[in-house]
Amino acid sequence: MTIQTAEIKGIPIPVSRVGLGTWAIGGWMWGGADDQASIATIRGTIERGINLIDTAPVYGFGHSEEIVGRALEGIRDRTVIATKMALQWDGGNITRNSSAARIRQEVEDSLRRLRTDRIDLYQVHWPDTTVPFEETAAALETLRRQGKILAIGVSNYTPAQMDAFASAAPLVAVQSPYNLFERGIEADVLPYARDKGLVVLAYGALCRGLLSGRMRSTTTFSGDDLRKADPKFQQPRFGEYLAAVDALSELARETYGKSVLALAVRWVLQQGPTIALWGARRPDQLAAIDEVFGWTISTADLDRIDALLGQHVRHPIGPEFMAPPLRTPKA
Ligand code: NAP
């Protein structure tokens, strides 16, 4: 099995078109994490030929980055680390902050936690409209020139925000929510990325596990797991999504001999200049990586998939519930 790769300008090695997402590895908003299992998952991912690891400081308030740093010791040069900045947390209260001063501090904290001297892809986590986009971009361009970061990306940005940003720094990638159930970027970000030559890191490729094939109407979540509040996981909507997953599973199995999880990731890879970010936290969840490459969903089946989604998901809803707020000005 050959793993497909993409070029990201500034990064010296080809990047696998599937990346490991490590939000759940931070524990926060996913009901906790088991560090030994997390480290085994990251190392297992690299052994399977996936070299891209996506993380962020806010995932467990530094914990995800620390675990990534520990897991990559000794194999760092074969890997591509994508991390982020510009979210601050005060006692668990998350707000956006992409000021130049904040970025200068965050890069040092991330390099230390990741146990590395450079970040391959450094992404602004959420647009902060209280700071000029040009200020944020210029701060990142300074870091790029210093060699602390190799390439610059943004996340959750609109095309207009990317235009402003790109006037002050070379933008090479955008990270956006994208999966079979969350298609909003097809109207704007995806065509923009194609036009500008940006790579799209599609996050939530499994729609927070909904497209894994593991979910049942009786599935429950524990602790601070965000799926307790995720509107897709609330009835009666949850039932609509599960019915769609059943129909997609049948198509994947009968036509291609694949799992619905492999179909979901494959689908993302066929939509343009995409890389699919797949969140996993246990080594047993990685087996399906081998099912993703080396086959293609036919054009007729892409249409059938859209028809199935329209038939079953009567009340679609997006991922907007995840957006963190802006800072409120101090009184
Ligand atoms: P995801 O990839 O859609 O789903 C991850 C969940 O799917 C896992 O935690 C696991 O849930 C389940 N899963 C994975 N492999 C499985 C398997 N083989 N069998 C059964 N279930 C499986 O969700 P995500 O983690 O939110 O998104 C991926 C990554 O994108 C994140 O980790 C993060 O790096 C990035 N992201 C970025 C942003 C942003 O604003 N830029 C936002 C969200 C995510 P259980 O372990 O509970 O079963």
Side-chain angles (χ1 to χ4, degrees):
M1 186 219 26
T2 309
I3 289 185
Q4 286 179 302
T5 57
E7 297 294 325
I8 299 184
K9 217 179 288 171
I11 297 180
I13 56 174
V15 182
S16 55
R17 287 193 67 203
V18 169
L20 177 70
T22 63
W23 183 5
I25 277 171
W28 170 72
M29 291 186 80
W30 288 85
D34 170 341
D35 292 350
Q36 287 316 314
S38 299
I39 289 171
T41 303
I42 296 165
R43 293 190 76 96
T45 303
I46 306 294
E47 277 158 25
R48 285 173 188 269
I50 299 297
N51 65 358
L52 173 65
I53 310 291
D54 182 75
T55 181
V58 77
Y59 299 162
F61 312 120
H63 194 61
S64 173
E65 285 192 334
E66 278 167 9
I67 294 296
V68 170
R70 279 169 59 188
L72 297 188
E73 267 199 323
I75 53 172
R76 168 71 182 102
D77 286 347
R78 296 197 268 133
T79 64
V80 175
I81 297 179
T83 192
K84 314 186 187 84
M85 91 312 290
L87 287 184
Q88 63 181 31
W89 56 91
D90 305 306
N93 181 25
I94 315 295
T95 49
R96 310 180 195 194
N97 183 349
S98 69
S99 65
R102 170 91 194 165
I103 290 172
R104 282 193 294 271
Q105 178 58 49
E106 284 211 44
V107 73
E108 302 304 332
D109 292 344
S110 287
L111 288 169
R112 189 188 67 252
R113 288 189 291 248
L114 290 163
R115 304 183 187 200
T116 187
D117 61 357
R118 70 202 182 279
I119 290 162
D120 299 285
L121 178 63
Y122 204 33
Q123 309 156 101
V124 187
H125 207 148
W126 281 86
D128 176 4
T129 50
T130 69
V131 174
F133 290 104
E134 295 78 1
E135 174 184 326
T136 303
L140 291 171
E141 175 58 357
T142 301
L143 297 181
R144 195 184 69 83
R145 287 175 188 267
Q146 292 170 343
K148 292 183 179 180
I149 66 174
L150 302 187
I152 299 172
V154 294
S155 180
N156 300 301
Y157 270 48
T158 65
Q161 290 168 336
M162 286 190 268
D163 273 339
F165 185 97
S167 67
L171 181 64
V172 300
V174 54
Q175 183 170 145
S176 305
Y178 193 44
N179 59 58
L180 276 163
F181 293 146
E182 293 171 340
R183 309 272 288 268
I185 67 165
E186 290 175 359
D188 51 13
V189 171
L190 199 51
Y192 179 89
R194 270 198 205 98
D195 186 43
K196 303 285 184 186
L198 306 182
V199 171
V200 177
L201 278 75
Y203 75 67
L206 305 183
C207 203
R208 299 171 292 289
L210 196 48
L211 285 159
S212 69
R214 175 180 88 77
M215 298 298 162
R216 302 285 172 268
S217 58
T218 50
T219 304
T220 54
F221 303 102
S222 59
D224 67 348
D225 197 308
L226 78 162
R227 292 168 293 189
K228 282 180 169 174
D230 186 331
K232 282 198 186 60
F233 288 75
Q234 316 304 318
Q235 295 291 10
R237 204 179 253 132
F238 190 31
E240 295 184 8
Y241 280 107
L242 289 176
V245 174
D246 282 347
L248 293 170
S249 293
E250 195 178 317
L251 186 154
R253 194 177 52 246
E254 291 188 355
T255 316
Y256 299 101
K258 303 286 183 188
S259 66
V260 66
L261 190 158
L263 180 89
V265 178
R266 183 75 235 153
W267 181 90
V268 168
L269 298 184
Q270 286 185 216
Q271 306 307 311
T274 48
I275 288 177
L277 292 182
W278 165 351
R281 50 178 159 182
R282 291 194 317 273
D284 63 278
Q285 293 174 327
L286 303 176
I289 288 175
D290 299 340
E291 268 195 272
V292 166
F293 298 101
W295 62 290
T296 305
I297 307 169
S298 71
T299 310
D301 284 332
L302 291 173
D303 291 341
R304 274 175 70 199
I305 287 170
D306 284 347
L308 287 174
L309 296 179
Q311 190 185 327
H312 292 287
V313 185
R314 299 279 174 192
H315 303 89
I317 190 158
E320 293 76 17
F321 77 103
M322 288 194 287
L326 294 166
R327 276 163 297 152
T328 43
K330 288 198 175 71

